[in-house]
Amino acid sequence: MARETPQALFDQTLPAVPEPQPARRRGRAAATNPTGRYERFETVPLADDWPGDTDPEAAAGAARSAVRTQVSIDASRSVLTRNTSPDVPFDRSVNPYRGCEHGCIYCFARPSHAQLGLSPGLDFETRLLVKPRAPALLAAALRKRGYTPQPIAIGTNTDPYQPIERDHRIMRGVLGVLEAFNHPVCITTKGAAVTDDIDLLARMGRRGLAQVTLSLTTLDSRLSRAMEPRAAAPARRLAAIRALARAGVPVQVNIAPIVPGLTDHELETLLAAAAEAGAKAAHYTVLRLPLEVADLFKDWLARDRPDAAAKVMGRVREMHGGRDYDPAWGRRLKGQGVHAQLIARRFALACTRHGLAERLAPLRTDLFAVPIAPGDQLTLDL
């Protein structure tokens, strides 16, 4: 008989220690905080027989506990971001916040938190950065000699009307600057707080300087709460569409993202509800899972929708060329294959049925004018 080595005896004595199961945090979609892709080291949790690893009551308490939102100041010295992607309809944007408390588990912006040395998981939802100087920085950018106006997109990365906007009011200041310059703006949001600025948006909208897009994913409030836990409930988003439309603000709906096998059956119902509320145009994108988002979304499926997980990911891969995500321009937003074609056809038919245009009327750029600032030389009107 071969003599067992001390290491072999050690392996037999101590069974493999499993990783603890992630606890579901109240009001958060992500249950984990994976290390960002730029970090040199990774922290891996392991069960160590302390209470909470094995005690069901302690585990249940951890699952119910909330993770508090932490807000820091972003000291960026510029706020106007340029974009050259050929499949998006804008070339410049402003993002008043980094990270998003809405916590949508599918959010394609999650990987941007890794650039800050933070996790695209729970950190993205709970460790937020606010740009209090955004209005002043924007005004300085618009005053630069040779600046040529084109619509500024807001809400292209993180939501400008996430919950902390009610405390910081950065959007109120940004819109005040844009109105003073007669500069066009298009806003995309899931936040019902957009109606807090309805006075500014109405004035700008009537002059062809503002339009708002409300994103809808589902009308199922329970699914919405699980998938996008701190975004406005679907009914409140529809109410925001109605309020904006009544105030004269051009408003459209974005069915985004369409999650195949989970929300795609609601496509026609969502468009009908948006049209009834007053939306005049519509567009859509399908679910895309870049970088860390793929594992976070699959973990969420396993926890919250295990019965649909295999179907959803099978459809996602079919629409992205066999992968979790296809980053190619022209395919990343709409997908490819049979299901992508079917969604596109259904969307077009529903828009025709409900009188929804492909896009809203172009915003005006001819009204742009730099307002006189203290110290500027005045002109003589003869």
Side-chain angles (χ1 to χ4, degrees):
M1 176 183 290
R3 184 177 180 181
E4 291 183 311
T5 64
Q7 182 62 47
L9 291 171
F10 180 81
D11 291 343
Q12 291 178 15
T13 303
L14 296 178
V17 180
E19 288 192 15
Q21 293 299 312
R24 174 66 183 271
R25 302 293 183 178
R26 186 174 68 247
R28 308 295 179 182
T32 59
N33 219 28
T35 303
R37 61 191 178 281
Y38 299 115
E39 305 308 304
R40 294 179 58 194
F41 302 103
E42 180 178 2
T43 301
V44 179
L46 292 173
D48 53 11
D49 294 330
W50 285 91
D53 286 330
T54 57
D55 182 3
E57 292 186 7
R64 290 191 297 269
S65 64
V67 180
R68 293 186 178 277
T69 299
Q70 303 175 50
V71 180
S72 303
I73 300 300
D74 186 313
S76 297
R77 291 181 291 180
S78 63
V79 74
L80 196 59
T81 302
R82 298 286 179 167
N83 166 68
T84 58
S85 300
D87 56 355
V88 294
F90 60 88
D91 69 353
R92 64 201 71 181
S93 61
V94 169
N95 291 291
Y97 303 101
R98 293 189 180 188
C100 187
E101 199 174 6
H102 282 164
C104 304
I105 191 61
Y106 51 72
C107 183
F108 65 85
R110 283 181 176 271
S112 65
H113 237 43
Q115 298 169 1
L116 306 174
L118 299 172
S119 172
L122 274 170
D123 280 353
F124 179 79
E125 308 176 32
T126 61
R127 299 185 64 179
L128 312 179
L129 281 79
V130 58
K131 302 178 182 180
R133 296 180 60 214
L137 292 171
L138 177 59
L142 300 185
R143 286 183 179 278
K144 287 184 177 179
R145 188 183 301 274
Y147 177 80
T148 303
Q150 286 296 325
I152 290 177
I154 305 181
T156 58
N157 194 51
T158 57
D159 201 306
Y161 287 104
Q162 58 182 285
I164 60 171
E165 166 64 13
R166 291 194 184 274
D167 295 324
H168 295 274
R169 306 299 284 144
I170 307 300
M171 273 300 291
R172 185 77 181 180
V174 166
L175 289 175
V177 169
L178 294 173
E179 183 182 30
F181 281 79
N182 285 326
H183 194 293
V185 61
C186 47
I187 299 168
T188 300
T189 183
K190 293 187 182 78
V194 65
T195 57
D196 291 351
D197 294 328
I198 202 166
D199 55 334
L200 290 171
L201 292 169
R203 289 198 300 266
M204 296 178 71
R206 286 192 291 268
R207 300 204 306 273
L209 295 173
Q211 55 187 222
V212 177
T213 299
L214 268 294
S215 293
L216 287 176
T217 311
T218 177
L219 293 179
D220 182 336
S221 59
R222 289 187 178 181
L223 176 57
S224 176
R225 178 65 67 184
M227 191 164 54
E228 40 199 25
R230 299 201 179 192
R236 293 189 64 208
R237 292 182 227 176
L238 289 170
I241 292 176
R242 187 170 289 107
L244 290 164
R246 287 176 177 172
V249 182
V251 60
Q252 60 186 349
V253 65
N254 186 19
I255 310 300
I258 295 175
V259 183
L262 191 62
T263 67
D264 53 336
H265 66 283
E266 295 187 69
L267 178 57
E268 290 82 0
T269 306
L270 288 164
L271 290 169
E276 188 278 330
K280 298 302 181 185
H283 48 95
Y284 77 95
T285 62
V286 299
L287 179 67
R288 47 183 172 136
L289 302 173
L291 300 171
E292 294 94 342
V293 185
D295 286 340
L296 288 165
F297 183 76
K298 286 186 283 188
D299 175 67
W300 177 84
L301 276 176
R303 287 184 289 107
D304 279 75
R305 293 295 186 273
D307 55 334
K311 178 182 179 181
V312 170
M313 289 310 301
R315 293 278 178 87
V316 166
R317 293 177 183 126
E318 191 271 338
M319 295 175 70
H320 290 287
R323 296 181 287 172
D324 289 346
Y325 176 57
D326 179 3
W329 286 324
R331 293 200 301 265
R332 60 179 184 158
L333 301 180
K334 304 297 184 185
Q336 59 181 315
V338 174
H339 286 102
Q341 294 170 6
L342 180 59
I343 287 172
R345 180 61 176 158
R346 288 171 55 200
F347 178 84
L349 289 172
C351 285
T352 299
R353 183 180 309 121
H354 298 292
L356 292 166
E358 184 177 347
R359 61 179 60 88
L360 295 173
L363 293 171
R364 297 183 65 176
T365 59
D366 59 307
L367 300 178
F368 177 78
V370 177
I372 296 174
D376 285 354
Q377 181 175 346
L378 302 179
T379 59
L380 294 176
D381 293 327
L382 300 178

